[in-house]
């Protein structure tokens, strides 16, 4: 259940946003703040309490134009924390989208807020919050067999995984390793580490994609020296993940 803080200095807009957020079953609590000062105080208290505290904040739905500090100013301040809450901007202005994405915003929702559009933003937040929790439990290495010796391969070194029946071949910049784990299992385990399914045969580390190519309606990605097809089923997810990934 998500813990939400909504920030807007216009009372009617804040009340409407809180009403829509509290109606979403994925949200456990939603508080409001009408000034940047109040917002920063609540967020500071939440960060001091820790992620597992009931008063924590998972995501801030943040207006941009406010008296005093703007929403962009607040986002810059939060970026200095080790584990800041996620940010979703809610604004009547389209012109700040690029700056918002530079600040690692999860989404950019335009006013007047539509319930279905807000629900999509909540879905993205819920996925990322779940990924954060899963990443805490998932080990950083995977055992592989090499010449009769078990070694531990860092997941961060894997560029993509390729399905080979009930096995998966893990590709790195230095070679590949075969493990007896289905690709679907790796997809579930590594979603929190930035891996995305692009095809029934391929799971790719989103940060290792160097190019996205479109040719006569066919999509592919380049990962190092490999060019991998993107199925139509996964094309939208791949585009979205590339759009939202942090700048390298």
């Amino acid at each position: 259940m998500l813990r939400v803080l909504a920030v807007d200095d216009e009372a009617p807009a804040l009340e409407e946003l809180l009403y829509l957020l509290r109606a979403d079953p994925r949200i456990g609590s939603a508080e409001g703040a009408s000034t940047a000062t109040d917002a920063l105080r609540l967020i500071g208290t939440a960060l001091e309490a820790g992620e597992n505290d009931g008063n924590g904040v998972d995501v801030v739905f943040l207006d941009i134009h406010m008296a005093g500090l703007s929403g962009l100013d607040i986002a810059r301040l939060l970026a200095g924390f080790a584990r800041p809450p996620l940010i979703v901007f809610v604004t009547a202005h389209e012109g700040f989208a690029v700056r918002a994405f530079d600040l690692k915003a999860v989404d950019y929702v335009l006013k007047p807020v539509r319930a279905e559009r807000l629900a999509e933003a909540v879905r993205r937040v819920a996925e990322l919050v779940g990924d954060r929790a899963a990443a805490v439990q998932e080990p950083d290495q995977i055992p592989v067999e090499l010449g009769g010796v078990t070694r531990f391969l860092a997941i961060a070194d894997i560029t993509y995984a390729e399905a080979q029946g009930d096995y998966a071949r893990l590709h790195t910049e230095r070679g590949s390793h075969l493990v007896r784990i289905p690709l679907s299992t790796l997809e579930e385990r590594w979603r929190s580490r930035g891996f995305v399914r692009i095809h029934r045969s391929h799971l790719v580390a989103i940060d290792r994609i160097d190019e996205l190519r479109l040719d006569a309606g066919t999509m592919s990605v380049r990962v190092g020296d490999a060019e991998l097809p993107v199925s139509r089923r996964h094309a939208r997810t791949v585009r979205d993940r590339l759009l939202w990934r942090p700048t390298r």
Side-chain angles (χ1 to χ4, degrees), residues 195-207:
F195 282 80
V196 60
R197 191 75 170 260
I198 67 167
H199 189 275
R200 64 181 181 179
S201 300
H202 294 108
L203 180 70
V204 175
I206 199 76
D207 285 343

Side-chain angles (χ1 to χ4, degrees), residues 1-5 21 24 26-27 29 57-62 84-90 104-109 117-133 244:
M1 300 293 282
L2 297 174
R3 300 160 299 179
V4 174
L5 175 64
L21 288 169
D24 194 306
R26 294 165 293 191
I27 292 176
S29 64
V57 174
D58 297 308
V59 57
V60 182
F61 285 79
L62 188 57
L86 300 173
I87 297 291
V88 173
F89 285 105
V90 183
K104 307 295 190 296
V106 174
D107 209 342
Y108 193 88
V109 179
R117 180 63 183 87
L118 188 64
E120 172 62 16
V122 172
R123 181 193 65 78
R124 289 176 173 170
V125 170
E127 284 187 357
L128 290 173
V129 170
D131 289 350
R132 280 183 172 183
W244 297 106

Side-chain angles (χ1 to χ4, degrees), residues 46-139:
L47 292 175
E48 289 177 3
E51 291 185 3
N52 297 322
D53 186 87
N55 296 318
V57 174
D58 297 308
V59 57
V60 182
F61 285 79
L62 188 57
D63 189 20
I64 288 182
H65 275 301
M66 296 189 295
L69 292 177
S70 71
L72 295 172
D73 293 328
I74 294 174
R76 290 189 192 96
L77 290 171
L78 294 180
F81 290 91
R83 297 279 289 183
L86 300 173
I87 297 291
V88 173
F89 285 105
V90 183
T91 177
H93 304 277
E94 297 183 8
F96 295 97
V98 172
R99 291 165 67 183
F101 297 149
D102 285 343
L103 291 168
K104 307 295 190 296
V106 174
D107 209 342
Y108 193 88
V109 179
L110 290 175
K111 297 178 181 178
V113 178
R114 294 181 293 110
E116 60 271 22
R117 180 63 183 87
L118 188 64
E120 172 62 16
V122 172
R123 181 193 65 78
R124 289 176 173 170
V125 170
E127 284 187 357
L128 290 173
V129 170
D131 289 350
R132 280 183 172 183
V136 173
Q137 314 231 348
E138 182 67 27

